[in-house]
Amino acid sequence: MIDNRLNFNFHVDYVCEKAAKAFNAIARIMSNCYGPRSSKRRLLASVPSSILRYEGQVCIAALRSKQNRVKLNSTFRLMVVRVASAYRTISSEAVCVIAGVIPISIMLVEDNDCCGRRNTRGARKLAREKSLSKWQQEWDRAENDRWTHRLTDRTGQPG
């Protein structure tokens, strides 16, 4: 879905709406207080996450717009909050670390790197290491959630 300015706003709107519908259908299965463990919640949340990541190269172009980044992040945040069984007041950085889920913007860059290195052996592993390193740097630079950062600092890696 391409609009006349080639900024992919319609595509991002469509993908976010589709992922939100899929997530709402799955969320009926997962109660927020009791129910499946976080590992099963993470598996169930991978469906709408895959919908958001499906057209990775288009979404990479769409990430140039702050409006599109906000839409993708807010849709993704709904899923991660449910995976972590957290309150909605938790910050996006902290909930991703607690749930052990890489933020969507970093995942899209990783997918784009892997797409560019299709015939390279171990491309996914290298891209994942780069993503984890970037995620750690973002987590270390986050101004909010210093208390959560101190709790997770013992492991050396988020999630």
Side-chain angles (χ1 to χ4, degrees), residues 29-121:
I29 301 169
M30 302 183 295
S31 69
N32 204 26
C33 297
Y34 301 104
R37 291 183 295 231
S38 65
S39 59
K40 291 181 182 176
R41 290 171 184 270
R42 198 174 310 133
L43 178 65
L44 291 172
S46 68
V47 172
S49 176
S50 296
I51 293 170
L52 289 175
R53 294 171 61 187
Y54 177 65
E55 292 291 332
Q57 291 182 337
V58 172
C59 288
I60 284 294
L63 285 177
R64 291 186 210 125
S65 165
K66 183 178 181 180
Q67 176 186 4
N68 290 335
R69 281 194 310 268
V70 167
K71 286 179 190 173
L72 285 168
N73 286 332
S74 65
T75 303
F76 186 72
R77 186 182 187 294
L78 292 173
M79 294 178 272
V80 179
V81 166
R82 186 58 79 108
V83 168
S85 293
Y87 291 108
R88 61 188 169 103
T89 56
I90 192 170
S91 72
S92 297
E93 295 90 1
V95 76
C96 285
V97 170
I98 291 169
V101 179
I102 298 174
I104 189 70
S105 58
I106 296 175
M107 278 197 282
L108 291 172
V109 171
E110 178 182 325
D111 291 343
N112 192 40
D113 287 348
C114 289
C115 185
R117 300 179 190 176
R118 278 187 208 140
N119 298 327
T120 305
R121 187 176 195 140

Side-chain angles (χ1 to χ4, degrees), residues 11-12 15 39 67 72 95 112 121 128 133 135 138:
H11 177 75
V12 171
V15 168
S39 59
Q67 176 186 4
L72 285 168
V95 76
N112 192 40
R121 187 176 195 140
R128 179 53 53 112
S133 175
W135 186 22
E138 285 184 7

Side-chain angles (χ1 to χ4, degrees), residues 120-143:
T120 305
R121 187 176 195 140
R124 177 60 72 176
K125 183 178 178 183
L126 291 173
R128 179 53 53 112
E129 289 173 1
K130 185 178 173 183
S131 295
L132 289 174
S133 175
K134 183 176 180 181
W135 186 22
Q136 182 65 52
Q137 289 172 359
E138 285 184 7
W139 178 237
D140 288 340
R141 282 184 294 195
E143 293 178 14

